[in-house]
Amino acid sequence: MKKLISAILLVAALFAANPAKSQVKFGIKGGLNVTNMSFSSKDIDKSNRSGFFIGPSVKFTIPIVGLGIDASALYDQRDSKLDSKTVTQKNVNIPINLRYNIGLGSLLGVYFAAGPQFGFSLGDKSFDITDLKSAQATAAQYKLKDSQFSINVGAGVTLLKHLEIGAAYNIACGKTGDVSYLDAAGKVVSSLPGATTRTNAWQVSAAYYF
């Protein structure tokens, strides 16, 4: 991970040193994701669901070298189901990817991208769950973390120099939420063993750069 961040900083330095030879494009990016929630507790059933993301994007490219950076500020919504409760995770995600571009002519190109993503939770962060298999408590509470750190790995194609179609896998680093037991009064009495979660996602995106 440190090597990837160092490479991103190196490309940024090359861009700053050669602004005349570099290209900057602004655009908008959006797409769909399929959430893959890793959840080890046997007391709660889970199922994965889909979501979406959208927001402004910018990319920097050094044409001769083929290296570049893209960065976005995305509203990201991911849904998962814990027993009968749908948990909606709303984030502002900021992915910063190192890119390698291969031109296949004036109308087509291929790119590979990877980099860190910083997420900040919006909206509700706590969700009550009532259909537990365990008799240790009357209910449980699932609580999202205020912020998340993850890594994106993906590839795609560039069409007509403006449109990009890509696919990526977003890998959570660390837990994204915790589950705790509640008593009859609604107070937390203990944590479910092994009930931390990680929310990964497959993503399909489209971006248009002006």
Side-chain angles (χ1 to χ4, degrees):
M1 187 61 201
K2 291 182 179 179
K3 292 182 179 179
L4 181 58
I5 294 177
S6 297
I8 292 174
L9 294 175
L10 176 60
V11 173
L14 290 173
F15 170 78
N18 300 279
K21 296 181 180 179
S22 303
Q23 297 178 352
V24 182
K25 291 186 177 182
F26 296 90
I28 186 168
K29 184 176 185 179
L32 302 175
N33 54 44
V34 178
T35 303
N36 178 20
M37 177 180 283
S38 174
F39 190 79
S40 57
S41 174
K42 298 180 180 179
D43 290 329
I44 300 175
D45 290 325
K46 69 174 180 64
S47 61
N48 299 323
R49 312 187 87 180
S50 61
F52 68 93
F53 56 92
I54 189 169
S57 183
V58 60
K59 67 176 180 178
F60 313 93
T61 306
I62 304 174
I64 298 177
V65 180
L67 292 176
I69 297 174
D70 69 55
S72 304
L74 305 173
Y75 172 79
D76 187 303
Q77 180 170 311
R78 304 181 185 185
D79 292 335
S80 297
K81 193 171 184 180
L82 300 181
D83 283 311
S84 61
K85 183 69 174 182
T86 297
V87 175
T88 300
Q89 182 177 349
K90 300 177 182 179
N91 281 359
V92 171
N93 287 335
I94 304 175
I96 304 173
N97 296 314
L98 176 67
R99 297 166 54 105
Y100 180 66
N101 306 283
I102 303 174
L104 302 178
S106 60
L107 302 180
L108 178 65
V110 177
Y111 71 88
F112 301 91
Q117 176 172 289
F118 306 91
F120 304 93
S121 295
L122 302 173
D124 294 335
K125 298 182 180 66
S126 297
F127 302 87
D128 292 333
I129 306 168
T130 57
D131 296 337
L132 285 173
K133 297 178 183 178
S134 174
Q136 296 185 41
T138 58
Q141 183 183 76
Y142 177 63
K143 188 173 182 179
L144 294 168
K145 295 296 181 182
D146 291 332
S147 61
Q148 303 86 36
F149 178 75
S150 58
I151 297 174
N152 291 315
V153 179
V157 296
T158 301
L159 304 172
L160 304 175
K161 297 183 178 181
H162 295 283
L163 179 64
E164 287 187 355
I165 306 296
Y169 190 59
N170 177 243
I171 307 167
C173 299
K175 59 186 179 181
T176 55
D178 296 290
V179 177
S180 301
Y181 283 123
L182 303 178
D183 61 16
K187 297 181 179 180
V188 175
V189 294
S190 65
S191 296
L192 282 166
T196 59
T197 63
R198 291 189 180 186
T199 306
N200 301 332
W202 286 101
Q203 299 179 323
V204 177
S205 65
Y208 187 87
Y209 291 96
F210 303 96

